[in-house]
Amino acid sequence: MRHSRNLVLITGATGHVGASTLLHLLHAGYHVRAAVRSEAKAAAVAARPQIRSMHPGSRLTFTIVPDITLPGAYDDAVEGVTHIIHIASPLASGADTIALGRHHQHFTQPAVQGTLNVLEAANTVGTVRRIVITSSIVALVPIEELEGRRRRHPSTPVTPDDRVPCVAGPCHSEFAAYAASKVAALHHAEAWMERERPAFDVVHLHPGFVLGRNDSAATPAQAMQGTNGVVLALLLGKKFGPYIGVTVCVEDVARAHVASLDLGVPGGQGYILGAPACWNDARDIARGEFAEAVRSHLLIMDGTVETIPLPIDTSLTDETFGFRFASYADQVRGTVRHFLDLRLRKKKSVTDPAHALSGSLASQDVFVGVRAAAC
């Protein structure tokens, strides 16, 4: 195996980006240790059909980290590790269910302390050469621009060197709290690196809205979670928004994570992952690719999402990684195809007497109250 002597610790493998990144790591030949919250979550990851089909054997192991905010949370997990991909961080739930007074505890504390615990553990163990941290485009853009209350001029695109001041106190929404947590995590990580000057370096990746097949989702309701919910709710007739028009395929995000482990990719640097998109273009894409689903009203064409144009500068990403990113059309196809496959699978499980205990098709098929967040 090309990377058989390297051991990569990955956090967040139970989520959308983490699931795809784990597969790409194994395909690339790495030995991988996945940090998960419980034995049950480890078993669920190992049981995924995509994982089982690879027969990873001893190349995939697990370590249990119940609470990423506790001091020393990753101390045991980093033993013998040469690289770390840190993805684990709270996402907005989708319906503003977190009380304003709990925003810091729910979003910022895990995002910041989890990141600092990874850095501290890596510094102590002494074997780590590179850490890749999943940030977000929202860490680089003021909340007023993310929510469309102020428009950025096309002549001043977002760059990976842009920074947003940390915001203290509760935010007005879960999305704002999520964005603030990403801003704070980036700020604290860079301050820690400047202060400690460890032997390893760090790459920060800043994806836009991540779309595409979610291998961590096994039901239609789970497929609606996260940023895929924007496209899927739109195609189920919902009207909402606005959202910034910057998207990226989950497979490309995973590829960038794995490519960033190579020390030939400059560290101490951030990279924006994404391209401009218009959310409502998903309707035309669906009409062309999923005509039968439209005719049978599995997809509904009167939904709409307002797009906030956001100019971005990805020239450094293009120069560094050199691979072509999937189009918005490809992202929509992957997202919708997986959702429809899960719908069909669920329908069969309900109508087949052998699977009568699987539950009702009517349960939570339609996502309501979308408030997804980029990565």
Side-chain angles (χ1 to χ4, degrees):
M1 292 285 180
R2 185 158 50 101
H3 301 293
S4 60
R5 293 187 179 182
N6 293 319
L7 175 60
V8 180
L9 173 69
I10 182 173
T11 75
T14 57
H16 188 193
V17 171
S20 184
T21 302
L22 175 58
L23 285 174
H24 278 258
L25 283 169
L26 293 172
H27 276 300
Y30 284 101
H31 280 69
V32 183
R33 180 182 297 158
V36 294
R37 290 177 181 263
S38 66
E39 294 287 356
K41 290 188 179 294
V45 172
R48 289 174 187 161
Q50 298 84 357
I51 297 292
R52 292 204 315 270
S53 68
M54 297 185 67
H55 306 289
S58 61
R59 288 200 302 118
L60 175 60
T61 57
F62 296 89
T63 183
I64 308 303
V65 181
D67 187 347
I68 67 174
T69 68
L70 294 178
Y74 290 105
D75 287 358
D76 293 335
V78 298
E79 285 297 325
V81 165
T82 56
H83 303 75
I84 300 174
I85 294 179
H86 179 50
I87 300 173
S89 191
L91 286 173
S93 68
D96 277 333
T97 58
I98 308 301
L100 294 181
R102 295 189 62 244
H103 279 167
H104 180 81
Q105 178 185 358
H106 185 85
F107 291 104
T108 304
Q109 186 177 354
V112 171
Q113 200 55 52
T115 299
L116 292 178
N117 282 339
V118 165
L119 294 170
E120 293 282 3
N123 199 27
T124 299
V125 76
T127 58
V128 176
R129 303 194 293 272
R130 163 71 54 88
I131 299 179
V132 181
I133 297 177
T134 313
S135 182
S136 171
I137 190 74
V138 304
L140 309 177
V141 183
I143 189 64
E144 294 82 7
E145 295 178 11
L146 293 173
E147 295 183 333
R149 289 181 280 121
R150 186 177 74 213
R151 296 297 174 98
R152 179 179 288 251
H153 195 275
S155 65
T156 57
V158 181
T159 77
D161 294 325
D162 288 352
R163 292 296 180 267
V164 178
C166 290
V167 177
C171 299
H172 59 273
S173 69
E174 281 191 13
F175 179 73
Y178 164 77
S181 77
K182 286 297 189 182
V183 169
L186 178 61
H187 170 81
H188 284 278
E190 291 184 327
W192 187 94
M193 290 292 293
E194 178 66 24
R195 182 175 66 250
E196 301 296 333
R197 299 192 177 275
F200 57 83
D201 62 12
V202 172
V203 169
H204 294 275
L205 297 180
H206 302 283
F209 279 72
V210 181
L211 302 176
R213 178 187 175 91
N214 184 354
D215 287 325
S216 69
T219 68
Q222 290 172 351
M224 295 291 306
Q225 295 172 0
T227 54
N228 279 347
V230 180
V231 163
L232 293 174
L234 162 65
L235 296 178
L236 292 174
K238 303 300 176 182
K239 298 177 175 64
F240 57 100
Y243 291 108
I244 58 170
V246 179
T247 68
V248 61
C249 180
V250 67
E251 295 294 322
D252 290 332
V253 177
R255 284 199 297 161
H257 278 78
V258 176
S260 295
L261 298 178
D262 190 329
L263 297 183
V265 172
Q269 178 63 58
Y271 301 93
I272 295 175
L273 308 177
C278 177
W279 290 107
N280 286 338
D281 287 349
R283 296 179 305 205
D284 291 334
I285 297 165
R287 287 189 186 98
E289 295 291 328
F290 305 102
E292 180 56 36
V294 173
R295 282 193 294 269
S296 61
H297 302 293
L298 284 174
L299 300 177
I300 302 169
M301 293 295 104
D302 61 355
T304 184
V305 175
E306 181 184 350
T307 298
I308 301 169
L310 184 71
I312 57 174
D313 181 354
T314 59
S315 57
L316 181 62
T317 303
D318 299 338
E319 294 171 12
T320 301
F321 295 101
F323 50 72
R324 182 177 176 272
F325 285 85
S327 66
Y328 180 60
D330 288 336
Q331 297 164 32
V332 171
R333 291 186 194 103
T335 301
V336 176
R337 185 174 294 113
H338 188 217
F339 174 74
L340 293 176
D341 287 347
L342 291 173
R343 283 286 302 259
L344 180 61
R345 188 183 312 166
K346 185 173 183 180
K347 185 175 182 180
K348 286 182 176 178
S349 73
V350 171
T351 57
D352 185 348
H355 298 88
L357 298 179
S358 296
S360 168
L361 180 62
S363 63
Q364 296 185 356
D365 266 3
V366 179
F367 185 85
V368 180
V370 172
R371 192 35 140 170
C375 184

